[in-house]
Amino acid sequence: MKQYKFSLFLFITIITWTANAQTYIGNVLYRNTYEYAKVVCSEDTCTFSIPYLDGDKKFSLPLDISKPQNWEIKRGAELWRFNTKIENGRLVGELYMPTARQQIKFYEQNPPLSSSQLIPYEGVFEDEEKRRVIIYSRYDYLHFMSPYSEETMSLKPIGQNIFWSVSGEHATFSALKGETFEDLQITCQNGNQHHLRRVPTFTVEDLWIPIGEDTLFAQLYLPETKEKVPACLVLPGGGAVGMDNYTYEARLFASHGMASLVFDKSGNGKSKGNGHFHRQSFEEKNDQYKLLFHYLRNHPAVNPDQVGVHGPSEGGRLGLMMAIDLGHEMAFAIAASGPFMTFREGQLYAMDHHHRNMGVNEIDNMKIREIWNDYYAGILEGKIDPKVIERANIYREQNARLFLPPDFTDLPASPQRDDILNDRVVFEAGKIVCPILLQYGENDQRVHRQKSLQNIFPHLTNPASIETIIYPRGNHSFMTPEYKICPGYTSDKISWLKSIGMLK
C-alpha cells in the first residue's frame, strides 16, 4: 500500500465498555502491514497487545489513557511511545516507533447490538461498478464480505448506524425504509469512499432430498429473480463438520445471482437414514453427490446448462470425480485444497506435518509413518498384522496425542480398500471438459499442493482451461496466521465465474 510508505496510521476502536471496564481494538501499521491491536482496561489494569504477532503477551499501560499523557511499551528490542489527548470527543495523538511516527485516532464504539437489531443491516449492496458487499449476521455479530479489501470481517458499532472492521473499513448505513437500510457507504483504510445501494437478495429453503435409502437435509439458496439462474452444488469436505461450515460459500454465490445447494452428509446433521458417510467409499459418495447435482440441475428456477460444483479438500477430489463422470452436464468445477493423489499419500503427508508440529523428532516420525504404511497395506490385503498394532501401542503409551492406527486388528470402516487404491481423479482427468478453478493455501499442511498439481496436470486434455491460485501464508482452510480468511479467496471465485460466463 504505497500511499502509507511514509505516513503511518493507527486506528483503534472501542469495542465494549461499562462503568468499570473498556476494551479497544484496532490496526497498527507495522512493517508495511496492518496488524490487529488490542487495549483492555479495567479498574486496576490496562494492557496493550498485538495478538496475531505476540500471542498472549500483554504490555502494561497507565490506568487512564484517556487523559493527556505520554505512555510507552517495550516490545522486544523496540520502544513504542504514545502521546495522546482527548480532542473533539476522540482520543488522538501520535505513536513513535523506532523507524516511523504515526498519527493515531481512537474511535469510541457503542455497545454490541442485540440479535434483533442486526436484521435491518443484513443484505446485499452494490456500487456503480457492480461490486457487491454482503452483510450477514453470525454468532450475534454482523459480518461483511468486502470487495475492496477482499476480506471477510466482523463489524463493530462505533456510532449511530456506523460500524468498523479490522480492515480499517467503515460501514455507514442510511435510508431506512420499512425494516431495512437501503444505502451503504464504505470508507476504506486509505480514505476512498464507495456508495452502494441494496439489491435483491436470496431466499433460503429447507429441503429433504431422498437419495437411495437416505434422506439428506439440504438448504437451497435461491436468488430473488424471475429469470433462470446458474447454480452450484456446494460439497462438504472430509470429516463430520456440519453443513453450517459450508453456508459461507453458498451465501457468497447466491448473493451474486447463483443458486446454491448445501447439504448434510449421509448420517450427519439433520440427514436421515441408515447410511453414514464414515462407511461410504469415495465412489459411493460420488454417486450420491451426482444425484444431488441432477436434483439441482432439474430445479425449475435453474438454468440446466450453467450448473457446477464447489468442493473443499475431500469435496475438491469428489468435485473433479463428478466432473469426470458427468462430462458436458457440468458447467464448471471449483476445488479448494483438493488432494489429487491416493488416500494413503495424502494421509501420510498430513500426518508428517501433524507430528512435526507436535515436536515429534524425525526418527520417530518416520517410524510412525512406517506403521501407518504397513497398516494401509494390511487393509489392502484384508488382514491387519497384530505386530503393526503392537508397534503402534509402543508410541501410544509414550504420547496419547499421537495419531496412530486404532488398537484392534479388525478392518476399519474407513478407509476402505477401494479408497486406498482409488486414484482415478488423476488418471481419468482427461475426461474433464468443463473449466476448473483450483485454489490452494501456500502453507497447506493437510494436502500436498505441489504433488497434487504435478499429478493431475499431465493427464488433463486442456490444461489451459484450468486456473490455479495460490494464497500466500494460507493454510488448508485458507486462513492466514492472523486467523483471517485469505484476501481474495472469495472475490477470486466470483471473478473467475464471471470470466467463464457463469455470472454477469
Side-chain angles (χ1 to χ4, degrees):
M1 302 182 70
K2 295 182 180 179
Q3 62 267 39
Y4 292 109
K5 186 174 181 180
F6 302 105
S7 181
L8 308 180
F9 295 88
L10 167 67
F11 297 94
I12 297 185
T13 302
I14 298 176
I15 291 305
T16 59
W17 64 272
T18 66
N20 299 318
Q22 292 178 318
T23 300
Y24 311 78
I25 67 171
N27 291 330
V28 178
L29 187 54
Y30 177 64
R31 294 178 177 173
N32 294 325
T33 302
Y34 286 99
E35 299 289 353
Y36 170 53
K38 187 176 183 180
V39 175
V40 179
C41 294
S42 63
E43 287 184 339
D44 54 0
T45 62
C46 193
T47 60
F48 176 88
S49 64
I50 310 178
Y52 298 154
L53 287 180
D54 300 332
D56 295 331
K57 187 173 183 179
K58 296 178 175 61
F59 304 90
S60 296
L61 303 181
L63 288 181
D64 188 0
I65 62 171
S66 64
K67 294 180 179 179
Q69 61 179 292
N70 298 324
W71 48 283
E72 61 186 37
I73 64 170
K74 187 71 164 57
R75 187 176 172 274
E78 297 182 342
L79 181 66
W80 291 11
R81 295 182 293 111
F82 295 80
N83 179 10
T84 60
K85 63 180 180 179
I86 297 295
E87 186 177 278
N88 297 326
R90 295 177 177 177
L91 187 66
V92 300
E94 297 174 317
L95 165 60
Y96 297 85
M97 290 182 173
T99 58
R101 174 173 61 91
Q102 304 183 33
Q103 297 296 318
I104 63 172
K105 295 180 182 178
F106 295 72
Y107 295 94
E108 183 176 5
Q109 181 185 345
N110 294 340
L113 302 179
S114 67
S115 298
S116 61
Q117 291 175 311
L118 302 179
I119 297 174
Y121 304 98
E122 294 183 275
V124 182
F125 298 81
E126 186 177 81
D127 67 14
E128 293 181 352
E129 297 182 20
K130 303 300 182 182
R131 292 173 296 193
R132 292 194 169 186
V133 168
I134 303 166
I135 309 290
Y136 64 98
S137 61
R138 183 175 173 85
Y139 302 130
D140 294 328
Y141 281 95
L142 283 180
H143 298 259
F144 87 130
M145 301 182 193
S146 169
Y148 311 114
S149 65
E150 296 188 316
E151 296 185 47
T152 298
M153 300 140 291
S154 61
L155 292 173
K156 311 298 182 184
I158 62 171
Q160 186 68 34
N161 304 322
I162 305 174
F163 300 80
W164 178 91
S165 76
V166 297
S167 66
E169 292 166 291
H170 289 67
T172 303
F173 294 83
S174 60
L176 182 63
K177 184 178 180 180
E179 298 182 352
T180 59
F181 289 99
E182 297 299 311
D183 292 350
L184 171 62
Q185 177 177 288
I186 300 293
T187 303
C188 296
Q189 184 87 278
N190 59 10
N192 289 342
Q193 294 186 343
H194 304 275
H195 299 273
L196 304 98
R197 291 279 297 171
R198 181 181 291 274
V199 295
T201 181
F202 53 83
T203 59
V204 182
E205 181 182 358
D206 289 351
L207 301 170
W208 297 91
I209 305 175
I211 302 291
E213 297 181 354
D214 294 326
T215 300
L216 302 187
F217 175 71
Q219 288 185 327
L220 178 63
Y221 286 67
L222 193 62
E224 295 180 352
T225 176
K226 294 181 179 180
E227 300 179 358
K228 286 186 178 292
V229 295
C232 182
L233 176 63
V234 179
L235 302 181
V241 179
M243 182 178 70
D244 185 60
N245 196 56
Y246 309 105
T247 58
Y248 179 82
E249 284 82 7
R251 181 186 296 110
L252 170 71
F253 296 140
S255 298
H256 285 84
M258 176 175 282
S260 302
L261 185 69
V262 62
F263 61 95
D264 277 328
K265 297 180 185 179
S266 176
N268 195 43
K270 296 181 180 180
S271 290
K272 301 176 182 179
N274 295 324
H276 197 286
F277 74 91
H278 190 64
R279 299 190 297 270
Q280 292 176 325
S281 67
F282 289 143
E283 295 296 349
E284 289 170 331
K285 293 174 185 175
N286 179 33
D287 289 340
Q288 273 200 337
Y289 296 174
K290 285 185 292 187
L291 292 173
L292 287 171
F293 180 89
H294 285 126
Y295 176 94
L296 179 60
R297 192 167 185 260
N298 292 328
H299 193 281
V302 168
N303 181 343
D305 297 325
Q306 291 186 311
V307 183
V309 65
H310 176 283
S313 194
E314 179 187 273
R317 176 202 296 269
L318 289 166
L320 293 201
M321 288 174 65
M322 293 172 62
I324 290 169
D325 295 344
L326 294 172
H328 290 282
E329 290 184 85
M330 185 173 288
F332 66 87
I334 302 175
S337 301
F340 307 129
M341 60 187 66
T342 65
F343 176 87
R344 175 156 56 178
E345 288 177 312
Q347 287 296 96
L348 293 177
Y349 173 82
M351 283 184 282
D352 275 351
H353 284 282
H354 173 71
H355 290 138
R356 287 193 187 103
N357 291 337
M358 288 179 59
V360 176
N361 64 64
E362 287 303 310
I363 293 177
D364 286 337
N365 201 7
M366 286 189 293
K367 290 182 177 179
I368 294 173
R369 180 187 177 96
E370 291 172 358
I371 290 171
W372 273 107
N373 205 38
D374 292 342
Y375 182 77
Y376 291 139
I379 295 175
L380 293 176
E381 295 170 3
K383 183 180 180 181
I384 305 297
D385 187 343
K387 292 183 179 179
V388 174
I389 305 304
E390 291 174 7
R391 288 156 54 199
N393 286 340
I394 294 174
Y395 280 100
R396 206 184 320 271
E397 292 173 0
Q398 296 175 6
N399 189 337
R401 295 176 56 240
L402 294 174
F403 187 62
L404 296 163
D407 187 12
F408 54 79
T409 57
D410 295 337
L411 291 174
S414 177
Q416 299 181 20
R417 183 177 186 276
D418 289 346
D419 283 345
I420 296 175
L421 294 173
N422 192 330
D423 56 4
R424 76 180 183 94
V425 69
V426 171
F427 292 103
E428 295 184 26
K431 297 180 181 179
I432 299 175
V433 294
C434 68
I436 299 172
L437 172 63
L438 303 178
Q439 296 177 293
Y440 287 97
E442 180 183 47
N443 297 329
D444 193 334
Q445 297 185 358
R446 292 281 301 168
V447 167
H448 198 321
R449 165 178 54 86
Q450 184 177 2
K451 180 70 171 177
S452 293
L453 296 176
Q454 288 175 344
N455 282 347
I456 199 168
F457 266 87
H459 298 277
L460 293 167
T461 303
N462 184 18
S465 67
I466 295 186
E467 182 168 346
T468 303
I469 304 176
I470 313 299
Y471 295 89
R473 303 167 69 243
N475 64 11
H476 183 65
S477 300
F478 296 93
M479 302 293 286
T480 69
E482 295 80 23
Y483 304 102
K484 296 193 300 183
I485 296 174
C486 291
Y489 172 72
T490 56
S491 57
D492 286 340
K493 298 179 197 288
I494 301 304
S495 296
W496 180 78
L497 287 168
K498 289 180 178 179
S499 74
I500 63 172
M502 292 296 109
L503 293 177
K504 298 179 181 179

